[in-house]
Amino acid sequence: MARLGDMLCRFVLSREYVLDWNSMRACFFVLAIACCFLSMSLSAHGQSSAGRPSSALQGASDDKDPAAILEIGAATSWNVAGGAATFAPNFAVETTPIENWLEIEAGVSPFFTRSSTEWDVDLLFKKPWTLSRKAEFMLGVGPEWVHLRQNGMTTNSIAGEVAGDFMFWPARKHRFGWFLEPAYDYSFARGHQQSIGMSGGLLIAIH
């Protein structure tokens, strides 16, 4: 049985689609950050609303910003130097530490191709502007960690990102909406790769 187990282990490790544990750790890392932001925002939201009458809370809840916003959608990226566009699912969580002045977004996008796997994890600090009751715009900047596995080699690099975020809320109560976010990335690794990206999808507000 021990010999059989050893043979099975060697077979699994020799497969082309072996799990990339560094990629898994990257995903867990950004999810942990997102959960921290979400828990801190919900805690602050709950403390600020403690002691208010229920009727006042109900009346103010329509106009109050959500404690956090989930962004679920898709992303695409183009290398400025050339090459085909790549596509990926996109997940992010956004919270507002300073109303009307600062919003923080943590997100992750895994890009998969035939010869490579790339995980982009970013942390953006955004300045929001309210265009109307149903539309918002934010301009953000922040660091990005790029984990690339290509042709059997794994590299990690740091990049800078600038993004504009358009948010649209169809209803007066900001519960569900959609977003469109163009972005520009500049890598600080050798070669200084530059790329232009676009992401979009569904907004889910957590009050």
Side-chain angles (χ1 to χ4, degrees):
M1 292 296 293
R3 184 177 180 182
L4 179 59
D6 183 64
M7 292 176 63
L8 287 174
C9 289
R10 292 182 181 179
F11 175 76
V12 172
L13 291 175
S14 65
R15 298 298 296 170
E16 179 181 0
Y17 300 106
V18 62
L19 285 175
D20 184 353
W21 293 110
N22 290 327
S23 298
M24 296 297 293
R25 283 198 296 267
C27 183
F28 294 149
F29 174 74
V30 73
L31 289 178
I33 292 178
C35 290
C36 288
F37 284 141
L38 181 58
S39 62
M40 288 188 297
S41 298
L42 291 175
S43 176
H45 181 73
Q47 290 177 1
S48 64
S49 60
R52 295 183 184 178
S54 59
S55 59
L57 281 175
Q58 185 175 1
S61 62
D62 293 344
D63 300 326
K64 192 175 180 68
D65 290 336
I69 298 175
L70 298 180
E71 297 183 359
I72 302 174
T76 183
S77 179
W78 300 273
N79 191 329
V80 174
T86 55
F87 300 89
N90 175 259
F91 172 80
V93 62
E94 185 175 290
T95 185
T96 308
I98 306 176
E99 189 174 357
N100 298 325
W101 283 100
L102 176 63
E103 300 207 8
I104 300 177
E105 176 188 307
V108 59
S109 296
F111 292 88
F112 299 99
T113 65
R114 292 182 178 179
S115 59
S116 66
T117 300
E118 179 179 323
W119 289 78
D120 293 350
V121 182
D122 59 13
L123 182 65
L124 296 177
F125 301 87
K126 299 180 176 181
K127 171 65 173 74
W129 287 275
T130 300
L131 304 180
S132 68
R133 295 183 65 88
K134 296 183 177 182
E136 300 175 61
F137 173 74
M138 303 178 197
L139 182 63
V141 62
E144 181 180 32
W145 177 53
V146 181
H147 176 82
L148 176 63
R149 185 171 184 240
Q150 187 174 24
N151 299 326
M153 297 182 61
T154 301
T155 59
N156 295 283
S157 61
I158 299 297
E161 181 178 358
V162 179
D165 191 359
F166 296 90
M167 291 185 172
F168 303 94
W169 305 93
R172 179 179 177 182
K173 295 182 180 180
H174 292 182
R175 293 182 178 177
F176 298 97
W178 60 280
F179 72 96
L180 192 64
E181 184 174 311
Y184 168 77
D185 298 337
Y186 180 87
S187 175
F188 298 109
R190 181 180 299 178
H192 301 290
Q193 177 178 321
Q194 303 177 57
S195 61
I196 298 175
M198 179 74 71
S199 59
L202 177 66
L203 295 172
I204 304 176
I206 301 176
H207 291 272

